[in-house]
Amino acid sequence: MQADRKPMPPPPRSPRRSLGELFDPRLPEQIEDPYPLYARARREEPVFYCPRLDLWIVTRYADIVAVLKDTARFSSANALYATAEPLPEVRAILREGYESFTSLVQSDPPDHTRVRAVFGKAFGPQRVAALEGQIRAIARELIDAFARDGRADLVSQLALPLPGYVICDLLGVPRADMRQLRAWHEDKQILMSAHAPVEVQVASARGYVAMQRYFQAQIEARRDDPREDLLTLLVPEAIGGSAPLGMQEAVCNAMDLLAAGHDTTTDLIGNAVDLLLARPEVAQALRDDRSLLAGAVDEVLRYESPIRGFFRNVTADAEVAGVRIPGGARVFLLYASGNRDEAEFPDGDRFDIRRGDVTRHLAFGKGIHFCVGSLLARTEGRTAIDLLLGRLPGLRRGEGVARRKGFFFQRGYDVFPIAWDVPPDA
Ligand code: HEM
């Protein structure tokens, strides 16, 4: 006979962790595939607070667009501030240059309107169309340098130098300076994260000030010797130029273009090649019909957005999707999630280069801060894909590991090996 058994109590249910606890864009699994978490957020907690980052995350397309429209309550001023106060020895060096950084993407109207008008001239459709031949020539030259090798690192040999040289040409500085400009740009990133050992931060502060001096000297030189370049457009009225800008604004905006237009375009090219090599039938469709290229580039931008999201500072208590966000808080608009939102893009997790009206994606933002370089970036992306597919037969992933970037708000590759067939008589 069996003894009476008491029914077992059900196992304690582990409380489901909230999105705010789970969200950590620096974790390897969230770097590799963040999209299931984004989908859960859109379903269950479309706006949530992440204590680890002290950020309110907005994940649905419609809510992101609503926030972008409300520029008075959700300010871009100082949107990219450093996460910690600089150390005294770092601050001492920074004082030798400009103390604050005032660029287009970090400003609100009326300053934003005034500065944006200066940029409008440099990035309009006619100017970009005129650059197209130059972009193609640079891409061709870069590919020529490795076409007979049968293998390459896509990032360091094409995706990084192509937009780097384009920005140098646009600004009007020698291409040979790109290496130095990148090193200074990395100094700026080190200063913003403020986590590096003190001696590294000190060296970066020196680099940051040197970059300011470099651009100031370049802009001053354009006053006496104007050219057909962006730096000439930035020469302040006060020293005889045409721009309604102070010298600090002119310098900061020149510096910011490197941040805004370089890695982002590198990531677009890396993400595009990644998606196409995983789908040979799509790559073949593009080889057969180049008119599909423009839609394909926008679908890459939607599906794998190089800028995962962007910040706004909350100026007064606000409500988004019924969630109260206090004044003084900071929000992160998760563009990469809005771009997969089923309410806006049916079957949003499917990569489809023939999607209708994909250009309403949020990869370039929306509203007054919509990317000024969007046309240029699309042209660079289209040209790179066109030439890679046309020039390298049997293009495939190469040996070695493709390494994704670990940055908080960027999505792309640091290293991406590719291989292809080289005919014996090449
Ligand atoms: C695939 C490449 C690119 C991506 C994904 C991208 C993405 C973005 C995004 C998301 C914003 C809006 C930020 C916000 O919401 O506040 C933005 C703004 C901006 N981008 Fe781009 N960008 C790219 C290429 C470029 C290029 C090539 C340039 C110029 C050389 C550029 C220059 C700028 C500038 C100056 C702004 C500030 C606009 C404003 O605040 O009015 N970007 N970009």
Side-chain angles (χ1 to χ4, degrees), residues 68 76 103-107 112 116 119 123 163 167 170 253 256-258 260-268 301 305-307 309-312 333 335 362-374 376-378 380:
L68 289 173
S76 289
S103 70
L104 188 60
V105 80
Q106 296 201 66
S107 65
H112 176 267
R116 178 100 187 186
F119 276 87
F123 292 96
I167 292 185
L170 200 77
N253 277 296
D256 215 34
L257 273 190
L258 290 168
H262 194 177
D263 289 5
T264 46
T265 313
T266 302
D267 294 342
L268 163 62
L301 286 160
S305 308
I307 299 280
F310 221 82
F311 304 92
R312 293 292 185 271
L333 306 172
Y335 297 155
L362 299 171
F364 291 124
K366 223 176 199 44
I368 64 165
H369 290 281
F370 182 78
C371 177
V372 285
S374 63
L376 184 63
R378 285 177 166 129
E380 291 180 55

Side-chain angles (χ1 to χ4, degrees), residues 123-170:
F123 292 96
Q126 282 174 342
R127 178 88 181 102
V128 174
L131 276 174
E132 193 159 351
Q134 209 168 318
I135 293 169
R136 189 161 275 270
I138 299 172
R140 206 176 268 141
E141 211 174 291
L142 289 165
I143 294 176
D144 280 347
F146 60 72
R148 278 184 287 275
D149 298 346
R151 63 196 166 91
D153 170 30
L154 174 75
V155 178
S156 59
Q157 294 180 260
L158 177 69
L160 197 60
L162 173 62
Y165 290 154
V166 171
I167 292 185
C168 286
D169 289 3
L170 200 77

Side-chain angles (χ1 to χ4, degrees), residues 43 54 68 188 192 206 238 258 277 316 353 355 372:
R43 272 193 319 270
D54 190 17
L68 289 173
K188 190 174 143 218
M192 274 180 63
R206 291 214 172 89
L258 290 168
L277 296 191
I353 61 167
R355 239 172 229 284
V372 285

Side-chain angles (χ1 to χ4, degrees), residues 284-297:
Q284 193 53 46
L286 290 174
R287 280 192 195 93
D288 296 342
D289 182 358
R290 295 297 210 264
S291 72
L292 295 171
L293 269 171
V297 166

Side-chain angles (χ1 to χ4, degrees), residues 137-385:
I138 299 172
R140 206 176 268 141
E141 211 174 291
L142 289 165
I143 294 176
D144 280 347
F146 60 72
R148 278 184 287 275
D149 298 346
R151 63 196 166 91
D153 170 30
L154 174 75
V155 178
S156 59
Q157 294 180 260
L158 177 69
L160 197 60
L162 173 62
Y165 290 154
V166 171
I167 292 185
C168 286
D169 289 3
L170 200 77
L171 288 167
V173 300
R175 289 184 192 167
D177 289 359
M178 192 187 85
R179 225 174 250 280
Q180 178 62 74
L181 289 168
R182 267 208 74 74
W184 284 334
H185 168 63
E186 277 159 26
D187 286 335
K188 190 174 143 218
Q189 285 185 317
I190 289 171
L191 287 176
M192 274 180 63
S193 72
H195 291 314
V198 59
E199 62 279 10
V200 176
Q201 290 192 47
V202 164
S204 297
R206 291 214 172 89
Y208 182 63
V209 174
M211 191 183 196
Q212 294 177 12
R213 294 203 174 121
Y214 170 93
F215 277 115
Q216 180 158 342
Q218 289 279 346
I219 291 168
E220 283 169 354
R222 299 299 189 285
R223 175 190 44 194
D224 308 320
D225 179 17
R227 301 192 210 154
E228 285 291 308
D229 63 25
L230 186 61
L231 288 179
T232 301
L233 289 179
L234 291 176
V235 178
E237 281 166 354
I239 65 162
S242 63
L245 306 173
M247 181 54 93
Q248 178 188 12
E249 284 176 315
V251 169
C252 292
N253 277 296
M255 286 169 68
D256 215 34
L257 273 190
L258 290 168
H262 194 177
D263 289 5
T264 46
T265 313
T266 302
D267 294 342
L268 163 62
I269 297 169
N271 294 342
V273 172
D274 179 24
L275 289 167
L276 294 179
L277 296 191
R279 295 166 180 78
E281 71 293 350
V282 181
Q284 193 53 46
L286 290 174
R287 280 192 195 93
D288 296 342
D289 182 358
R290 295 297 210 264
S291 72
L292 295 171
L293 269 171
V297 166
D298 272 289
E299 178 65 350
V300 170
L301 286 160
R302 180 193 75 83
Y303 195 82
E304 290 283 23
S305 308
I307 299 280
R308 288 210 226 187
F310 221 82
F311 304 92
R312 293 292 185 271
N313 291 318
V314 186
T315 57
D317 288 1
E319 209 179 277
V320 182
V323 176
R324 201 185 139 272
I325 304 181
R330 204 167 182 223
V331 295
F332 187 64
L333 306 172
L334 199 51
Y335 297 155
S337 168
N339 282 340
R340 298 278 189 116
D341 190 338
E342 303 72 14
E344 194 64 28
F345 300 103
D347 209 0
D349 283 330
R350 193 162 56 88
F351 180 73
D352 177 3
I353 61 167
R354 293 181 178 83
R355 239 172 229 284
D357 205 11
V358 62
T359 51
R360 65 174 182 270
H361 64 67
L362 299 171
F364 291 124
K366 223 176 199 44
I368 64 165
H369 290 281
F370 182 78
C371 177
V372 285
S374 63
L375 264 183
L376 184 63
R378 285 177 166 129
T379 307
E380 291 180 55
R382 226 176 36 237
T383 308
I385 304 306

